[in-house]
């Protein structure tokens, strides 16, 4: 059993809370005790428990009212509960929709320690599964985000997509190449165009870049004026062809910024993924960025492949 799991025991019968505490501590749980509903809610504000064992019938505030108050607080809404009492008491005292019943359970008095520990373990397992599902949902929400300026994908989306591309490459031998692109003379452009003009230019460059991509490719804005593209099913030769098309298109375009034509160039660094690189994509991206930097230092408006 994982140590450090925090359980709050709530019962006005102090002798019973002592027994409950000993049973739970014997299974390596950390236990805190409260002898009425008000103290239970106060204890939850100090530290949110992983699970609450709660007597149904208590003076001042019964178990059902404690549950209702906990469910009204975002911090404790999802904490699983195990009620202590007779099943008749529970049916009469608890009014909850059937589809919300998975995060509470009932143990009858006098309780069997083995049954209590099984119910505790079951509720904690369900909580773990719910927490993992929420994490997945949050990850999917993050993955769906796009850069608000360019409408390209977010860096976190790129990271997850890159991991998938690496797994496919290792398993099936499917090649892919990373392209990292930046505007040349970026500081001069920022000075002459200002923030509003620079943002407009960046959005237009991103739009032109997107016209050169296939539906299977993924592009993200990974820095202030940096774009990173995962070119799927693409070897070195195919990547160079893509990069040169994009570079030439941008070089030949008059971007209308503040009603004035602006001409820019870009440098592009490329690197094809190979077997001895890491599973996170850090090496392949760093090599592409190094090629990009070399392109800037050589005068810009160039495509370079990392070896």
């Amino acid at each position: 059993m994982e140590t450090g799991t925090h359980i709050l025991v709530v019962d006005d019968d102090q002798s019973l809370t002592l027994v409950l505490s000993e049973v739970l501590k014997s299974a390596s749980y950390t236990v805190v005790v409260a002898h009425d509903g008000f103290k239970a809610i106060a204890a939850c504000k100090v530290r949110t428990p992983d699970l609450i064992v709660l007597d149904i019938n208590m003076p001042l505030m019964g178990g059902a009212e404690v549950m209702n108050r906990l469910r009204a607080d975002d911090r404790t809404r999802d904490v699983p509960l195990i009620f202590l009492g007779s099943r008749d008491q529970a049916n009469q005292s608890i009014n909850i929709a059937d589809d919300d019943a998975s995060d509470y359970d009932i143990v009858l008095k006098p309780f069997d320690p083995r049954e209590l520990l099984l119910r505790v373990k079951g509720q904690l397992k369900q909580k773990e599964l719910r927490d993992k599902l929420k994490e997945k949902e949050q990850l999917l929400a993050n993955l769906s985000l796009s850069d608000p300026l360019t409408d390209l994908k977010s860096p976190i989306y790129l990271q997850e997509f890159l991991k998938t591309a690496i797994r496919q490459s290792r398993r099936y031998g499917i090649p892919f190449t990373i392209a990292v692109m930046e505007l040349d003379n970026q500081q001069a452009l920022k000075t002459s165009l200002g923030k509003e003009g620079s943002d407009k230019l960046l959005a237009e460059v991103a739009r032109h870049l997107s016209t050169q991509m296939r539906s299977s490719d993924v592009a993200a804005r990974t820095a202030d004026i940096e774009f990173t593209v995962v070119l799927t099913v693409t070897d070195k030769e195919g990547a160079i062809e893509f990069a040169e098309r994009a570079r030439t298109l941008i070089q030949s375009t008059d971007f209308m910024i503040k009603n004035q034509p602006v001409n820019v160039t870009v440098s592009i660094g490329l690197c094809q993924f190979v077997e001895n690189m890491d599973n996170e994509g850090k090496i392949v991206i760093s090599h592409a960025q190094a090629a990009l930097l070399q392109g800037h230092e050589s005068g810009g408006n160039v495509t370079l492949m990392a070896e």
Side-chain angles (χ1 to χ4, degrees), residues 1-219:
M1 183 61 60
E2 180 183 355
T3 60
T5 302
H6 183 75
I7 297 179
L8 174 63
V9 174
V10 188
D11 199 304
D12 59 307
D13 185 338
Q14 297 190 22
S15 61
L16 182 58
T17 58
L18 179 61
V19 174
L20 287 165
S21 296
E22 291 303 316
V23 170
L24 294 168
K25 288 177 181 178
S26 70
S28 300
Y29 295 114
T30 299
V31 180
V32 172
V33 171
H35 292 120
D36 63 55
F38 292 102
K39 291 177 181 177
I41 292 172
C44 289
K45 294 183 184 299
V46 174
R47 177 177 176 179
T48 303
D50 297 300
L51 180 141
I52 301 173
V53 179
L54 178 63
D55 187 21
I56 293 175
N57 288 321
M58 294 184 294
L60 302 178
M61 184 190 301
E65 178 61 22
V66 173
M67 180 187 70
N68 291 335
R69 295 197 182 195
L70 293 173
R71 293 296 180 259
D73 189 328
D74 289 338
R75 292 171 298 180
T76 53
R77 176 172 295 140
D78 299 321
V79 176
L81 301 173
I82 294 180
F83 286 105
L84 293 173
S86 70
R87 192 165 297 278
D88 288 342
Q89 287 174 332
N91 291 336
Q92 294 171 7
S93 302
I94 303 171
N95 182 18
I96 189 167
D98 290 340
D99 57 354
D100 290 331
S102 62
D103 57 355
Y104 84 91
D105 209 337
I106 302 169
V107 172
L108 304 181
K109 294 181 180 180
F111 72 92
D112 181 339
R114 292 171 298 179
E115 180 189 4
L116 174 66
L117 291 177
L118 284 174
R119 298 295 181 91
V120 167
K121 185 176 180 180
Q123 284 294 328
L124 289 173
K125 184 61 178 178
Q126 289 187 42
K127 179 180 183 295
E128 180 185 359
L129 294 174
R130 288 195 299 270
D131 290 345
K132 287 182 178 179
L133 179 60
K134 288 181 181 179
E135 289 177 4
K136 292 288 186 182
E137 290 173 346
Q138 185 59 51
L139 177 60
L140 290 174
N142 290 338
L143 293 181
S144 68
L145 295 177
S146 299
D147 174 59
L149 178 62
T150 63
D151 285 333
L152 299 181
K153 295 297 185 182
S154 65
I156 192 171
Y157 185 104
L158 183 80
Q159 291 169 9
E160 294 301 316
F161 185 86
L162 184 53
K163 291 176 186 177
T164 300
I166 290 172
R167 287 195 296 269
Q168 290 178 337
S169 180
R170 291 197 189 283
R171 184 170 183 179
Y172 303 110
I174 299 174
F176 75 89
T177 302
I178 294 293
V180 182
M181 184 179 83
E182 275 189 344
L183 298 177
D184 296 317
N185 305 312
Q186 44 196 268
Q187 192 55 52
L189 287 169
K190 288 181 179 179
T191 301
S192 63
L193 298 177
K195 185 179 187 314
E196 182 180 349
S198 297
D199 287 350
K200 172 67 174 176
L201 175 63
L202 197 66
E204 285 298 306
V205 170
R207 185 173 65 83
H208 281 66
L209 172 65
S210 297
T211 66
Q212 303 305 303
M213 293 167 48
R214 301 161 300 175
S215 60
S216 60
D217 300 329
V218 167

Side-chain angles (χ1 to χ4, degrees), residues 234-291:
T234 304
D235 57 15
K236 292 181 179 180
E237 290 73 20
I240 291 172
E241 181 181 344
F242 158 81
E244 282 298 284
R245 284 201 318 269
R247 184 187 63 80
T248 302
L249 173 64
I250 292 168
Q251 179 188 16
S252 62
T253 299
D254 290 332
F255 296 98
M256 298 302 297
I257 310 297
K258 297 180 179 180
N259 297 320
Q260 296 292 327
V262 175
N263 298 110
V264 297
T265 61
V266 297
S267 292
I268 303 174
L270 303 172
C271 183
Q272 183 177 334
F273 177 80
V274 294
E275 184 67 25
N276 63 352
M277 292 179 175
D278 67 288
N279 292 327
E280 303 295 318
K282 295 178 181 178
I283 293 176
V284 66
I285 287 179
S286 66
H287 286 186
Q289 289 173 330

